[in-house]
Amino acid sequence: MTDCLFCKIVNGDIPADIVYQDDDVLAFRDISPQAPTHMLLIPKRHISTPNDLTEADVVTLGKLHLKASELAKEAGHGEQGYRTVMNCNSDGGQTVFHIHMHLLGGRALSWPPG
Ligand code: AMP
Ligand code: ZN
């Protein structure tokens, strides 16, 4: 999608601190980190919200989770723990409409979220 911030990062039109990519998945550091480790993992293919996921996205979603756990462990958060979260629409707090998994680690995170 031409007017999507994260598609522009995928295409290299906007710079990002990229930590991993393969054919399907891109991971980069959040520009406004909410924890010592705060990365975003996205499918390279544009999907607007979690509501738009289909059966065809199941493998890619699994890759996001697997890669998030690998990056969390690489960052040293495996033992202490970390959080992955995907926000949906206004009540979920979604502000960028290209689905993304937040990976947060490096501090104790409260629950329930605000
Ligand atoms: P959400 O509120 O779940 O849609 O999360 C969007 C996230 O994207 C926020 O944590 C922002 O800080 C982050 N973000 C926005 N623009 C950029 C950017 N250019 N590079 C990296 N992260 C960004
Ligand atoms: Zn997009």
Side-chain angles (χ1 to χ4, degrees), residues 29-108:
R29 294 192 188 278
D30 196 292
I31 204 166
S32 177
Q34 302 301 309
T37 296
H38 188 175
M39 301 175 190
L40 301 174
L41 294 95
I42 67 170
K44 286 189 169 178
R45 188 174 86 77
H46 182 86
I47 302 167
S48 296
T49 82
N51 290 332
D52 302 304
L53 289 163
T54 70
E55 199 73 29
D57 304 312
V58 165
V59 171
T60 302
L61 269 186
K63 285 186 180 181
L64 291 185
H65 272 290
L66 181 59
K67 186 48 67 178
S69 76
E70 289 174 3
L71 290 170
K73 286 183 280 187
E74 277 173 25
H77 305 316
E79 188 74 22
Q80 283 292 112
Y82 54 90
R83 183 173 296 169
T84 54
V85 64
M86 191 178 282
N87 298 325
C88 182
N89 282 341
S90 54
D91 275 7
Q94 185 176 8
T95 60
V96 177
F97 289 86
H98 178 134
I99 63 165
H100 45 282
M101 180 178 289
H102 294 261
L103 166 60
L104 297 144
R107 68 173 174 85

Side-chain angles (χ1 to χ4, degrees), residues 1 4-7 46-47 97-98:
M1 246 181 88
C4 169
L5 176 65
F6 287 175
C7 282
H46 182 86
I47 302 167
F97 289 86
H98 178 134

